[in-house]
Amino acid sequence: MQRDGGDLALVLSGGGARGAYQVGFLRALAEHRPRLQIPIVTGVSAGAINAAYLASQVAEFRDKAETLARLWAGLTTDQIFRVDIASLARNALSWGARLFMGQASRHIRARSLVDTSPLCAMLDHLLQPVHRQLPGIAQNLVHGGLKAVAVTASSYSTGQSVTWVQGDPPAPAHGQRKFIRCKLRIDHILASAALPLLFPAVRINRRWFGDGGIRMTAPLAPAVYLGAEKILAISTRYARSPYEQERPQIDGYPPPAQVVGALFNAIFLDLFDNDAVRLQYVNDLIRKIPESDRGGLRVIKLLVLRPSRDLGQLASRYESALPRSFRFMTRGLGTQETRANDILSLLLFHPDYLGRVMELGYQDAHARRDEIEAFLIS
């Protein structure tokens, strides 16, 4: 296995269908570093799915990246959630009934806008659990160079951010963040990827969990606490230029799709960027302290990789490819009234869009190949 200085951590952010960007990036990285060893892998939401796959497969890095790319390239919306008219209408009517019937509606079962039973089946096929656990992780911890894998979810029951870790013992809980050492199961992955309101919450040990990005104020923290000395973080958020930030994305009153998209960005992606800035700031402070006086503090090298194009704007080009029944519902939310379909980019599980996003990740990785290589060997 190829070893570089210091424990390397791979941090994969959330973003629903945007997770295809991470896969394209990993595929390009694997072409250059086919036997790359990544001791620490963490993920949240869609990134948790990719992280769990990388950690659970007993194979070389190149083989894992190629298989993951083939899977994402063939995904369709109906493999993630049900898109038949009956299912969508039933869920929508249930939510409407709860809204208009007040307290009398408390016995109405309305848990999500879509039924994600296809996602459960897809993950069973992808991760091949045994009694809901992922046996490949234990094998890689012993023989594959893996030190720890972590996925994060948000507890609706307690309001805490919970990170489940399999591998080296985690650090003690801090603030609203809680670490639990366990054997990772399919339920942990599903909980981390449960987009609020859209996907149903997942029950684990008599408590309910949803998407890990909701209460995760420090997305890089799990990798730091697990001993990473270098962090390779793949975001799915495009960094807009000052001109793009000032350019309006809508012409009239903001439709629900615009509002929800802005909300999801604030919850899942903005915090990732803020945490990266905070880590760099702490690194600068630590460098100013003599090594003998640091008291165990260490400088953690960080490289953040992000799309070179706006994945929300890209999604607008493929909106017509959605299944008719689901497209009817999303257009009702105003997806055709905005030029940056951030909410659509989370849900657009269509081979054409996913293939284009993976291609972009692949191209971006090659464009920054020298920078990535310098980071890995530093």
Side-chain angles (χ1 to χ4, degrees), residues 197-257:
L197 298 181
L198 295 173
F199 290 7
V202 177
R203 191 179 187 185
I204 299 175
N205 296 332
R206 294 183 294 180
R207 294 186 177 182
W208 294 95
F209 294 88
D211 196 292
I214 299 175
R215 296 300 304 269
M216 196 174 192
T217 57
L220 302 176
V224 173
Y225 289 153
L226 291 174
E229 297 179 28
K230 294 187 293 187
I231 298 177
L232 185 65
I234 306 180
S235 173
T236 58
R237 175 74 180 273
Y238 168 70
R240 293 176 179 172
S241 67
Y243 169 75
E244 290 172 317
Q245 292 176 9
E246 294 295 328
R247 187 173 59 189
Q249 302 297 330
I250 54 174
D251 297 320
Y253 188 83

Coordinates of all heavy atoms in Angstrom, one line a residue, residues 197-257:
L197 N -37.7 16.2 6.4 CA -39.0 16.3 5.8 C -39.2 15.5 4.5 O -40.2 14.8 4.3 CB -39.4 17.8 5.6 CG -39.5 18.7 6.8 CD1 -39.9 20.1 6.4 CD2 -40.5 18.1 7.8
L198 N -38.1 15.6 3.7 CA -38.2 14.9 2.4 C -38.1 13.4 2.6 O -38.9 12.6 2.0 CB -37.1 15.3 1.4 CG -37.2 16.8 1.0 CD1 -35.9 17.1 0.2 CD2 -38.4 17.0 0.1
F199 N -37.2 12.9 3.4 CA -36.9 11.5 3.7 C -37.4 11.2 5.2 O -37.3 12.1 6.0 CB -35.5 11.1 3.6 CG -35.0 11.1 2.1 CD1 -35.7 11.6 1.1 CD2 -33.7 10.7 1.9 CE1 -35.3 11.6 -0.2 CE2 -33.2 10.7 0.6 CZ -34.0 11.2 -0.5
P200 N -37.8 10.0 5.4 CA -38.3 9.7 6.8 C -37.1 9.6 7.8 O -36.0 9.2 7.4 CB -39.0 8.4 6.6 CG -38.4 7.8 5.4 CD -38.1 8.9 4.5
A201 N -37.4 9.9 9.0 CA -36.4 9.7 10.1 C -36.2 8.2 10.3 O -37.0 7.4 10.0 CB -36.8 10.4 11.4
V202 N -35.0 7.9 10.9 CA -34.7 6.5 11.1 C -34.6 6.2 12.6 O -33.9 7.0 13.4 CB -33.3 6.1 10.4 CG1 -32.9 4.7 10.7 CG2 -33.5 6.3 8.9
R203 N -35.2 5.1 13.1 CA -35.2 4.8 14.5 C -34.0 3.9 14.9 O -33.8 2.9 14.3 CB -36.5 4.2 14.9 CG -36.6 4.1 16.5 CD -38.0 3.4 16.8 NE -38.2 3.5 18.2 CZ -39.2 2.9 18.8 NH1 -40.1 2.2 18.1 NH2 -39.4 2.9 20.1
I204 N -33.2 4.4 15.8 CA -32.0 3.6 16.3 C -32.0 3.6 17.8 O -32.0 4.7 18.4 CB -30.7 4.1 15.7 CG1 -30.7 4.1 14.2 CG2 -29.5 3.4 16.3 CD1 -29.5 4.7 13.6
N205 N -32.1 2.5 18.4 CA -32.1 2.4 19.9 C -33.2 3.3 20.5 O -32.9 4.0 21.4 CB -30.7 2.7 20.5 CG -29.7 1.7 20.0 OD1 -30.0 0.5 19.8 ND2 -28.4 2.2 19.9
R206 N -34.4 3.2 20.0 CA -35.5 3.9 20.5 C -35.5 5.4 20.4 O -36.2 6.2 21.0 CB -35.8 3.5 21.9 CG -36.2 2.1 22.1 CD -36.5 1.7 23.5 NE -35.4 1.8 24.4 CZ -35.4 1.6 25.7 NH1 -36.5 1.3 26.3 NH2 -34.3 1.7 26.4
R207 N -34.5 5.9 19.5 CA -34.5 7.4 19.2 C -34.5 7.6 17.7 O -34.1 6.7 17.0 CB -33.2 8.0 19.9 CG -33.2 7.9 21.4 CD -32.1 8.6 22.1 NE -32.2 8.6 23.5 CZ -31.4 9.2 24.3 NH1 -30.3 9.8 23.9 NH2 -31.5 9.1 25.6
W208 N -34.9 8.8 17.3 CA -35.1 9.1 15.9 C -34.0 10.0 15.4 O -33.6 11.0 16.1 CB -36.5 9.7 15.7 CG -37.6 8.8 16.0 CD1 -38.3 8.6 17.1 CD2 -38.1 7.8 15.1 NE1 -39.3 7.6 17.0 CE2 -39.2 7.1 15.7 CE3 -37.8 7.4 13.7 CZ2 -39.9 6.1 15.1 CZ3 -38.6 6.4 13.1 CH2 -39.6 5.8 13.8
F209 N -33.5 9.7 14.2 CA -32.4 10.4 13.7 C -32.7 10.9 12.2 O -33.4 10.2 11.5 CB -31.1 9.6 13.7 CG -30.6 9.3 15.1 CD1 -31.1 8.1 15.7 CD2 -29.7 10.1 15.7 CE1 -30.6 7.8 17.0 CE2 -29.2 9.7 17.0 CZ -29.7 8.6 17.6
G210 N -32.1 12.0 11.9 CA -32.2 12.5 10.5 C -30.8 12.9 10.0 O -29.8 12.6 10.6
D211 N -30.8 13.6 8.9 CA -29.6 14.0 8.2 C -28.6 14.6 9.1 O -28.9 15.5 9.9 CB -29.9 15.0 7.1 CG -28.8 15.2 6.1 OD1 -27.8 15.7 6.4 OD2 -29.0 14.7 4.9
G212 N -27.3 14.2 9.0 CA -26.3 14.6 9.9 C -25.9 16.0 9.8 O -25.2 16.6 10.6
G213 N -26.3 16.7 8.7 CA -25.9 18.1 8.5 C -26.7 19.1 9.3 O -26.3 20.2 9.5
I214 N -27.8 18.6 9.9 CA -28.7 19.6 10.6 C -28.0 20.3 11.8 O -28.1 21.5 11.9 CB -30.0 18.8 11.0 CG1 -30.7 18.2 9.8 CG2 -30.9 19.8 11.8 CD1 -31.9 17.4 10.2
R215 N -27.4 19.5 12.6 CA -26.8 20.1 13.9 C -25.3 20.0 13.9 O -24.6 20.2 14.9 CB -27.3 19.3 15.1 CG -28.8 19.5 15.3 CD -29.2 20.9 15.5 NE -28.5 21.6 16.6 CZ -28.9 21.6 17.9 NH1 -30.1 21.0 18.2 NH2 -28.2 22.2 18.8
M216 N -24.7 19.7 12.7 CA -23.2 19.5 12.7 C -22.5 20.8 12.4 O -22.4 21.2 11.2 CB -22.9 18.5 11.6 CG -21.5 17.9 11.7 SD -21.1 16.6 10.6 CE -19.6 16.0 11.2
T217 N -22.2 21.5 13.4 CA -21.5 22.8 13.3 C -20.1 22.7 12.9 O -19.5 23.7 12.4 CB -21.6 23.6 14.6 OG1 -21.0 22.8 15.7 CG2 -23.1 23.8 15.0
A218 N -19.5 21.6 13.0 CA -18.0 21.4 12.7 C -17.9 20.1 11.9 O -17.5 19.1 12.5 CB -17.2 21.4 13.9
P219 N -18.1 20.1 10.6 CA -18.0 18.9 9.8 C -16.7 18.2 9.8 O -16.5 17.0 9.5 CB -18.4 19.3 8.4 CG -19.2 20.6 8.6 CD -18.6 21.2 9.8
L220 N -15.6 19.0 10.0 CA -14.2 18.4 10.0 C -13.9 17.8 11.4 O -12.9 17.1 11.5 CB -13.2 19.5 9.7 CG -13.4 20.2 8.3 CD1 -12.4 21.3 8.1 CD2 -13.3 19.2 7.2
A221 N -14.7 18.0 12.4 CA -14.3 17.6 13.8 C -14.1 16.1 13.9 O -13.2 15.7 14.6 CB -15.4 18.1 14.7
P222 N -15.0 15.2 13.3 CA -14.8 13.8 13.5 C -13.4 13.4 13.0 O -12.7 12.6 13.7 CB -15.9 13.2 12.6 CG -17.0 14.2 12.7 CD -16.3 15.5 12.6
A223 N -12.9 13.9 11.9 CA -11.6 13.5 11.4 C -10.5 14.0 12.3 O -9.5 13.3 12.6 CB -11.4 14.1 10.0
V224 N -10.7 15.2 12.9 CA -9.7 15.8 13.8 C -9.6 15.0 15.1 O -8.5 14.6 15.5 CB -10.1 17.3 14.2 CG1 -9.1 17.8 15.2 CG2 -10.0 18.1 12.9
Y225 N -10.8 14.6 15.6 CA -10.8 13.8 16.9 C -10.3 12.4 16.7 O -9.9 11.8 17.7 CB -12.2 13.8 17.5 CG -12.6 15.2 18.0 CD1 -13.9 15.6 18.1 CD2 -11.6 16.1 18.5 CE1 -14.3 16.8 18.6 CE2 -12.0 17.3 19.0 CZ -13.3 17.7 19.1 OH -13.7 18.9 19.6
L226 N -10.4 11.9 15.5 CA -9.9 10.6 15.2 C -8.4 10.5 14.9 O -7.9 9.5 14.5 CB -10.7 9.9 14.1 CG -12.1 9.6 14.5 CD1 -12.9 9.1 13.2 CD2 -12.2 8.5 15.6
G227 N -7.7 11.7 15.0 CA -6.3 11.7 14.9 C -5.7 12.1 13.5 O -4.5 11.9 13.3
A228 N -6.5 12.6 12.6 CA -6.0 13.0 11.3 C -4.9 14.1 11.4 O -5.0 15.0 12.2 CB -7.2 13.5 10.4
E229 N -3.9 13.9 10.6 CA -2.9 14.9 10.5 C -3.0 15.7 9.2 O -2.5 16.8 9.0 CB -1.5 14.3 10.6 CG -1.3 13.6 11.9 CD 0.1 13.0 12.0 OE1 1.0 13.4 11.3 OE2 0.2 12.0 12.8
K230 N -3.7 15.0 8.2 CA -4.0 15.7 6.9 C -5.5 15.4 6.6 O -5.9 14.2 6.7 CB -3.1 15.2 5.8 CG -1.6 15.6 6.0 CD -0.8 15.2 4.8 CE -0.7 13.7 4.6 NZ 0.2 13.4 3.5
I231 N -6.2 16.4 6.1 CA -7.6 16.2 5.8 C -7.8 16.6 4.3 O -7.6 17.7 3.9 CB -8.6 17.0 6.7 CG1 -8.4 16.5 8.1 CG2 -10.0 16.9 6.2 CD1 -9.3 17.4 9.1
L232 N -8.3 15.6 3.5 CA -8.7 15.8 2.1 C -10.2 15.9 2.2 O -10.9 14.9 2.4 CB -8.2 14.7 1.2 CG -8.5 14.8 -0.3 CD1 -7.7 16.0 -0.8 CD2 -8.1 13.6 -1.0
A233 N -10.8 17.1 2.0 CA -12.2 17.3 2.2 C -12.9 17.6 0.8 O -12.4 18.5 0.1 CB -12.5 18.4 3.2
I234 N -13.9 16.9 0.5 CA -14.6 17.1 -0.8 C -16.0 17.7 -0.5 O -16.8 17.0 0.0 CB -14.7 15.8 -1.6 CG1 -13.3 15.2 -1.8 CG2 -15.3 16.1 -3.0 CD1 -13.4 13.9 -2.6
S235 N -16.1 19.0 -0.9 CA -17.4 19.6 -0.8 C -18.2 19.5 -2.1 O -17.6 19.3 -3.1 CB -17.2 21.1 -0.4 OG -18.4 21.8 -0.4
T236 N -19.5 19.7 -2.0 CA -20.3 19.7 -3.2 C -20.9 21.1 -3.4 O -21.8 21.3 -4.2 CB -21.5 18.7 -3.1 OG1 -22.3 19.0 -2.0 CG2 -20.9 17.3 -3.0
R237 N -20.3 22.1 -2.8 CA -20.8 23.5 -2.9 C -19.8 24.3 -3.8 O -18.7 24.4 -3.5 CB -20.9 24.1 -1.5 CG -21.2 25.6 -1.5 CD -22.7 25.8 -1.9 NE -23.1 27.2 -1.9 CZ -23.5 27.9 -0.8 NH1 -23.6 27.3 0.3 NH2 -23.9 29.1 -0.9
Y238 N -20.4 24.9 -4.8 CA -19.6 25.7 -5.7 C -19.4 27.1 -5.1 O -20.3 27.7 -4.4 CB -20.4 25.9 -7.0 CG -19.9 27.0 -7.9 CD1 -18.7 26.8 -8.6 CD2 -20.6 28.2 -8.1 CE1 -18.3 27.8 -9.5 CE2 -20.2 29.2 -9.0 CZ -19.0 29.0 -9.7 OH -18.5 30.0 -10.5
A239 N -18.2 27.6 -5.1 CA -17.8 28.9 -4.5 C -18.1 30.0 -5.6 O -17.3 30.1 -6.5 CB -16.3 28.9 -4.1
R240 N -19.1 30.7 -5.4 CA -19.5 31.7 -6.4 C -18.6 32.9 -6.3 O -18.1 33.3 -5.2 CB -20.9 32.2 -6.1 CG -22.0 31.1 -6.4 CD -23.4 31.6 -6.1 NE -24.3 30.5 -6.4 CZ -25.6 30.6 -6.1 NH1 -26.1 31.7 -5.4 NH2 -26.5 29.6 -6.4
S241 N -18.3 33.5 -7.4 CA -17.5 34.7 -7.5 C -18.3 35.9 -6.9 O -19.5 35.8 -6.8 CB -17.1 35.0 -8.9 OG -18.3 35.4 -9.7
P242 N -17.6 37.0 -6.6 CA -18.4 38.2 -6.1 C -19.5 38.6 -7.1 O -20.6 39.0 -6.7 CB -17.3 39.3 -5.9 CG -16.1 38.5 -5.6 CD -16.2 37.2 -6.5
Y243 N -19.2 38.6 -8.4 CA -20.2 38.9 -9.4 C -21.4 38.0 -9.3 O -22.6 38.4 -9.4 CB -19.6 38.9 -10.8 CG -20.6 39.0 -11.9 CD1 -21.2 40.3 -12.2 CD2 -21.0 37.9 -12.6 CE1 -22.2 40.4 -13.2 CE2 -21.9 38.0 -13.6 CZ -22.5 39.2 -13.9 OH -23.4 39.3 -14.9
E244 N -21.1 36.7 -9.2 CA -22.2 35.7 -9.2 C -23.0 35.8 -7.9 O -24.3 35.6 -7.9 CB -21.6 34.3 -9.3 CG -21.1 34.0 -10.7 CD -20.3 32.7 -10.7 OE1 -19.6 32.4 -9.8 OE2 -20.5 31.9 -11.7
Q245 N -22.4 36.2 -6.8 CA -23.1 36.4 -5.6 C -24.1 37.5 -5.6 O -25.1 37.5 -4.9 CB -22.1 36.6 -4.4 CG -21.3 35.4 -4.1 CD -20.2 35.7 -3.0 OE1 -20.2 36.7 -2.4 NE2 -19.3 34.7 -2.8
E246 N -23.8 38.5 -6.4 CA -24.7 39.7 -6.5 C -25.8 39.5 -7.6 O -26.7 40.3 -7.6 CB -23.8 40.9 -6.9 CG -22.9 41.4 -5.7 CD -23.6 41.8 -4.5 OE1 -24.7 42.3 -4.6 OE2 -23.1 41.6 -3.4
R247 N -25.6 38.5 -8.4 CA -26.6 38.3 -9.5 C -27.8 37.6 -9.0 O -27.7 36.5 -8.5 CB -26.0 37.5 -10.7 CG -26.8 37.5 -11.9 CD -26.1 36.8 -13.0 NE -25.6 35.5 -12.7 CZ -24.8 34.8 -13.4 NH1 -24.2 35.3 -14.5 NH2 -24.4 33.5 -13.0
P248 N -29.0 38.2 -9.2 CA -30.3 37.5 -8.7 C -30.5 36.2 -9.4 O -30.3 36.1 -10.6 CB -31.4 38.6 -9.0 CG -30.7 39.9 -9.2 CD -29.3 39.5 -9.8
Q249 N -31.0 35.2 -8.6 CA -31.4 33.9 -9.2 C -32.9 33.8 -9.6 O -33.3 32.9 -10.2 CB -31.0 32.8 -8.2 CG -29.5 32.8 -7.8 CD -28.6 32.5 -9.0 OE1 -29.0 31.8 -9.9 NE2 -27.4 33.1 -8.9
I250 N -33.6 34.8 -9.2 CA -35.1 34.8 -9.5 C -35.5 36.2 -9.9 O -34.7 37.2 -9.6 CB -35.9 34.4 -8.2 CG1 -35.5 35.3 -7.0 CG2 -35.7 33.0 -7.9 CD1 -36.4 35.1 -5.8
D251 N -36.6 36.4 -10.6 CA -37.0 37.7 -11.1 C -38.2 38.2 -10.2 O -38.4 39.4 -10.1 CB -37.5 37.5 -12.5 CG -36.4 37.1 -13.5 OD1 -35.3 37.7 -13.3 OD2 -36.6 36.3 -14.4
G252 N -39.0 37.4 -9.6 CA -40.1 37.8 -8.8 C -40.0 37.4 -7.4 O -38.9 37.2 -6.8
Y253 N -41.1 37.2 -6.7 CA -41.1 36.7 -5.4 C -40.5 35.3 -5.3 O -40.8 34.5 -6.1 CB -42.6 36.7 -4.8 CG -42.7 36.4 -3.4 CD1 -42.5 37.5 -2.4 CD2 -42.9 35.1 -2.9 CE1 -42.6 37.2 -1.1 CE2 -43.0 34.9 -1.5 CZ -42.8 36.0 -0.6 OH -42.9 35.7 0.7
P254 N -39.7 35.0 -4.2 CA -39.0 33.7 -4.2 C -40.0 32.6 -4.0 O -40.8 32.6 -3.1 CB -38.1 33.9 -2.9 CG -38.7 35.0 -2.1 CD -39.3 35.9 -3.1
P255 N -40.0 31.6 -4.9 CA -40.8 30.4 -4.8 C -40.3 29.5 -3.7 O -39.2 29.6 -3.2 CB -40.7 29.7 -6.2 CG -39.4 30.1 -6.6 CD -39.1 31.5 -6.1
P256 N -41.1 28.5 -3.2 CA -40.7 27.6 -2.2 C -39.4 26.9 -2.5 O -38.5 26.7 -1.7 CB -41.8 26.6 -2.1 CG -43.0 27.4 -2.5 CD -42.5 28.3 -3.6
A257 N -39.2 26.6 -3.8 CA -37.9 25.9 -4.2 C -36.7 26.7 -3.9 O -35.6 26.2 -3.5 CB -38.0 25.5 -5.7

